[in-house]
C-alpha cells in the first residue's frame, strides 16, 4: 500500500488544503514524483511505503543535476531514505549511495534492497521451494480445522515463535488461524542459516503482513472493520508470502544483470540513525547530490503506521522504545509536543514566525487540541528544516545540489508554504535557492477540508507538491 503524504489527515485535528506554491517554475523534465509508479518497477516494487517518490523522478534528477551523469565516482546522499528509492536508483546508475533512515523497518528495506544484487538467484529459488514446502506441511492442519470450526490453536505442530508480547491492537491484529500460519512461516524463516537470506524473507513478510491482517491502510493504519471492510478470519499466508518471494526472485535476476555492468560495484551505506546530525557520520563536502523527500508537515505518523512491522520483526519489544524514535523523527509529531511549553524558531524568518504565531492563537478553548499544539509542531518542523539545512551545507560538495520533494500544508486553516520557507531556510544556511518546481497539484474533497475550523463552510482547495532545489555555492 503506498500513499502520497499530502492526502493524509492528521490524527486528531484539522489541517490541509492550499492556495498553490510560491511562483513555481515548470516541471522542467522531472517525471511524476508519485510512489505509485514504483509498483511496476523492478526491486522498487518490493516494499510498499506510505510516501515517497518514483524511481523515474529520481533518474530525472540525476540527469538534470549531476554535472556529468555518466561519471561513476559520484556520491548520492538520501537523508530520509524510506524504502530506498533514491538509493536503489543511484546504485542502478553505478553511483555510490549513502542513506539515513530512522525507522528500523524502512532501514531494513533500504539495506536489503541495496545489498540484494549480491545474492545468488539460485539460492533464493532453493530457499523459496524449501520454504513453501515446509510451510505448507506445517500449516496443513490449520485450514481443515478452521473449515470444521475447530480450535486452530490446538493444531499440530505447535509453532516455536510467539506473538510479540508487548504488541497491542484494538482488535486482534491477526485472526487465530492467520496468526498460527504466520508463526510457522516466521519459524521457517528464522531457521535459515544465511543472515542475508533471512533478512530478505523477513522483508518479504513485512511487505505483505498487513494484507492478511485485520488492519488496512486508509491511508493511516486502522482496523478493517472501522474502514467498513470485513475482517480476515483465514488467509493463504504461505501463498501470499511465496508470491512476494517469487516476485523478488524475478527482479533479482535482472537486478544482478544490471549491476554486473559495474566492476567494482558501487558502495551503499544505510545508516539507521537520524539525519539531523549528518556531520556525526559523513565527511564534509562529500555528497555530489541529495535527492530526498522528508516527512511533510502533515503529522503522518510513520512510526504508528509501522507498529506491527516494528514489533513482529523484533525491532522493538516495548512501546517505550517507539517514543525514542518518535521524538527523533524529523519534525517530531504533534502528539509529542502539543502540551509542551511554547517553542520558538531557532532562526529568523519573520513571515513564518507571524504565521506560526497566528496558528498558536487559534482555538485556545480547545486546550492541547487547539492552535498552541500545532504551533509547537510547526516550530519543531521548521527547526528541523534548519538543522537539515546546516547538515546539507556541511555535507554537499561545493557546487552540489539538494533536491527536496515537499508538500504544502494548512494548519488550523492557515496555509504554510512549506516549500518556500524551506528554500528560505536553506539560504539562511548558506545555500542558494535555485528553483522550486511544481510537481503535482491535487484536488481534495470536502471531507478533508470541510473541517471544524472552517465552521462548516466547505472549501475546494488544492494541495501541491514541489521539488525545492538548493545549491551549495562553489
Ligand atoms: C517521505 S518518507 C521518504 C520516502 C523515500 N523517499 C522513499 O522513496 O521511500 C520520509 C522518511 O523519513 C524518515 N525519517 C523521519 N525522520 C527522520 C530522521 N530524523 N532521520 C532519518 N530519517 C527520518 C521516515 O521514517 C520516512 O521513512
Amino acid at each position: 500500500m503506498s500513499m502520497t503524504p499530502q492526502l493524509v489527515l492528521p490524527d486528531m485535528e484539522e489541517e490541509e488544503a492550499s492556495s498553490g506554491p510560491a511562483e513555481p517554475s515548470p516541471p522542467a523534465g522531472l517525471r511524476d514524483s508519485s510512489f505509485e509508479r514504483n509498483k511496476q518497477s523492478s526491486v522498487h516494487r518490493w516494499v510498499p511505503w506510505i510516501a515517497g517518490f518514483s524511481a523515474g523522478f529520481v533518474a530525472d534528477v540525476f540527469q538534470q543535476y549531476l554535472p556529468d551523469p555518466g561519471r561513476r565516482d559520484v556520491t548520492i546522499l538520501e537523508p530520509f531514505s524510506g524504502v530506498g528509492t533514491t538509493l536503489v536508483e543511484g546504485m542502478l546508475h553505478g553511483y555510490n549511495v549513502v542513506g539515513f533512515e530512522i525507522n528500523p523497518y524502512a532501514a531494513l528495506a533500504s539495506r536489503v534492497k541495496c545489498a540484494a544484487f549480491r545474492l545468488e538467484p539460485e539460492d533464493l529459488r532453493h530457499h523459496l521451494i524449501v520454504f513453501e514446502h515446509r510451510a505448507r506441511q506445517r500449516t496443513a492442519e490449520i485450514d481443515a480445522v478452521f473449515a470444521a470450526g475447530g480450535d486452530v490453536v490446538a493444531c499440530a505442530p505447535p509453532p516455536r515463535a510467539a506473538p510479540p508480547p508487548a504488541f497491542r491492537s484494538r482488535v486482534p491484529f491477526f485472526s487465530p488461524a492467520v496468526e498460527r500460519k504466520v508463526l510457522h512461516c516466521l519459524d521457517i524463516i528464522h531457521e535459515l542459516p544465511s543472515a542475508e537470506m533471512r533478512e530478505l524473507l523477513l522483508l518479504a513478510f513485512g511487505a505483505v503482513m498487513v494484507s492478511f491482517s485485520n488492519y488496512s491502510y486508509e491511508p493511516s493504519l486502522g482496523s478493517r472493520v472501522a474502514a467498513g471492510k470485513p475482517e480476515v478470519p483465514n488467509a493463504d499466508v504461505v501463498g501470499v508470502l511465496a508470491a512476494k518471494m517469487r516476485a523478488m526472485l524475478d527482479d533479482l535476476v535482472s537486478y544482478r544483470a544490471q549491476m554486473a555492468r559495474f566492476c567494482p560495484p558501487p558502495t551503499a551505506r544505510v545508516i539507521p540513525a537520524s539525519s539531523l546530525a549528518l556531520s556525526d557520520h559523513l565527511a564534509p563536502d562529500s555528497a555530489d547530490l541529495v535527492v530526498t523527500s522528508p516527512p511533510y508537515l502533515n503529522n503522518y505518523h510513520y512510526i504508528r503506521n509501522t507498529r506491527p512491522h516494528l514489533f513482529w520483526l523484533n525491532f522493538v519489544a516495548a512501546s517505550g522504545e517507539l517514543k525514542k524514535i518518535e521524538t527523533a523523527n524529523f519534525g517530531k509529531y504533534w502528539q509529542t509536543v502539543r502540551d509542551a511549553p511554547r517553542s520558538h524558531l531557532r532562526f529568523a524568518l519573520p513571515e513564518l514566525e507571524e504565521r506560526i504565531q497566528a496558528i498558536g492563537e487559534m482555538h485556545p478553548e480547545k486546550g492541547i487540541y487547539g492552535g498552541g499544539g500545532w504551533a509547537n509542531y510547526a516550530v519543531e518542523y521548521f527547526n528541523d528544516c534548519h538543522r537539515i539545512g546546516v547538515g546539507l551545507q556541511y555535507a554537499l560538495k561545493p557546487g552540489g545540489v539538494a533536491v527536496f520533494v515537499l508538500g504544502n500544508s494548512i494548519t488550523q486553516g492557515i496555509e504554510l508554504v512549506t516549500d518556500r520557507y524551506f528554500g528560505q531556510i536553506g539560504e539562511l544556511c548558506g545555500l542558494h535557492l535555485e528553483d522550486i518546481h511544481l510537481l503535482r497539484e491535487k484536488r481534495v474533497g470536502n471531507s478533508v477540508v470541510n473541517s471544524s475550523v472552517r465552521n462548516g463552510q466547505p472549501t475546494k482547495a488544492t494541495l501541491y507538491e514541489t521539488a525545492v532545489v538548493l545549491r551549495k555555492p562553489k
Side-chain angles (χ1 to χ4, degrees), residues 49 51 78-83 85 101-102 274-275 293 295 302 328-330:
W49 195 232
E78 164 51 297
F80 304 96
S81 75
V83 293
T85 309
E101 176 51 57
I102 206 165
S274 172
S275 54
S293 175
Y302 290 93
N329 200 87
F330 185 84

Side-chain angles (χ1 to χ4, degrees), residues 108-344:
L108 172 79
S110 282
R111 193 174 68 246
V112 167
K113 283 160 77 176
C114 285
F117 74 92
R118 296 175 190 277
L119 296 173
E120 285 290 344
E122 274 318 307
D123 281 354
L124 179 56
R125 200 184 312 279
H126 166 77
H127 288 304
L128 205 165
I129 293 166
V130 171
F131 167 83
E132 206 170 353
H133 176 71
R134 284 190 189 157
R136 292 256 178 245
Q137 264 187 341
R138 293 190 203 176
T139 60
E141 209 180 299
I142 297 172
D143 284 326
V145 171
F146 176 83
D151 179 11
V152 291
V153 176
C155 287
R160 279 191 309 281
F167 177 66
R168 305 263 177 276
S169 53
R170 274 191 200 142
V171 300
F173 187 72
F174 295 123
S175 297
V178 174
E179 183 176 282
R180 191 87 179 168
K181 292 178 183 178
V182 161
L183 293 173
H184 280 299
C185 289
L186 288 174
D187 275 349
I188 296 163
I189 294 174
H190 286 298
E191 283 162 15
L192 288 169
S194 146
E196 290 80 15
M197 209 50 89
R198 247 184 348 254
E199 287 209 317
L200 185 78
L201 298 200
L202 286 173
L203 186 63
F205 171 75
V208 297
M209 65 185 285
V210 172
S211 71
F212 39 72
S213 78
N214 290 321
Y215 278 70
S216 62
Y217 286 110
E218 301 292 337
S220 286
L221 188 66
S223 74
R224 289 176 59 89
V225 169
K229 296 174 176 171
E231 290 202 329
V232 180
N234 195 8
D236 181 12
V237 173
V238 179
V240 171
L241 205 38
K244 175 50 91 179
M245 293 174 191
R246 261 193 295 278
M248 287 171 143
L249 174 60
D250 288 347
D251 290 357
L252 192 56
V253 175
S254 58
Y255 191 17
R256 278 174 66 87
Q258 289 185 69
M259 293 305 291
R261 292 173 298 153
F262 309 120
C263 190
T267 61
R269 256 176 98 194
V270 177
I271 300 168
S274 172
S275 54
L276 295 177
L278 287 179
S279 59
D280 288 356
H281 302 273
L282 303 180
D285 302 344
S286 56
D288 294 87
L289 178 67
V290 174
V291 190
T292 194
S293 175
Y296 290 7
L297 182 57
N298 61 6
N299 205 39
Y300 187 85
H301 212 302
Y302 290 93
I303 311 300
R304 288 188 182 183
N305 286 312
T306 50
R307 264 181 80 251
H309 306 78
L310 295 173
F311 276 98
W312 278 85
L313 296 180
N314 296 326
F315 287 117
V316 299
S319 291
E321 294 170 43
L322 296 176
K323 262 271 165 306
K324 272 192 254 161
I325 315 175
E326 283 175 8
T327 47
N329 200 87
F330 185 84
K332 302 199 168 54
Y333 289 106
W334 168 77
Q335 289 85 346
T336 65
V337 297
R338 65 188 178 195
D339 47 4
R342 185 64 58 85
S343 43
H344 299 282

Side-chain angles (χ1 to χ4, degrees), residues 270-436:
V270 177
I271 300 168
S274 172
S275 54
L276 295 177
L278 287 179
S279 59
D280 288 356
H281 302 273
L282 303 180
D285 302 344
S286 56
D288 294 87
L289 178 67
V290 174
V291 190
T292 194
S293 175
Y296 290 7
L297 182 57
N298 61 6
N299 205 39
Y300 187 85
H301 212 302
Y302 290 93
I303 311 300
R304 288 188 182 183
N305 286 312
T306 50
R307 264 181 80 251
H309 306 78
L310 295 173
F311 276 98
W312 278 85
L313 296 180
N314 296 326
F315 287 117
V316 299
S319 291
E321 294 170 43
L322 296 176
K323 262 271 165 306
K324 272 192 254 161
I325 315 175
E326 283 175 8
T327 47
N329 200 87
F330 185 84
K332 302 199 168 54
Y333 289 106
W334 168 77
Q335 289 85 346
T336 65
V337 297
R338 65 188 178 195
D339 47 4
R342 185 64 58 85
S343 43
H344 299 282
L345 294 175
R346 62 201 296 255
F347 54 89
L349 208 57
E351 183 194 321
L352 175 60
E353 214 162 320
E354 275 169 34
R355 293 233 139 195
I356 294 179
Q357 173 79 14
I359 292 169
E361 287 164 9
M362 299 293 286
H363 303 288
E365 74 285 358
K366 289 192 183 175
I368 57 165
Y369 300 102
W374 288 105
N376 270 359
Y377 170 53
V379 166
E380 295 296 344
Y381 186 89
F382 288 107
N383 278 343
D384 281 351
C385 288
H386 189 266
R387 285 191 184 97
I388 204 77
V390 170
L392 294 175
Q393 166 65 23
Y394 166 88
L396 275 173
K397 287 183 183 168
V401 162
V403 177
F404 270 62
V405 172
L406 285 166
N408 64 324
S409 114
I410 285 191
T411 302
Q412 299 283 297
I414 295 171
E415 182 171 20
L416 291 170
V417 283
T418 311
D419 53 339
R420 186 149 62 77
Y421 297 138
F422 185 77
Q424 291 170 355
I425 291 168
E427 295 217 303
L428 290 176
C429 297
L431 302 165
H432 169 61
L433 173 58
E434 195 165 281
D435 229 327
I436 298 182

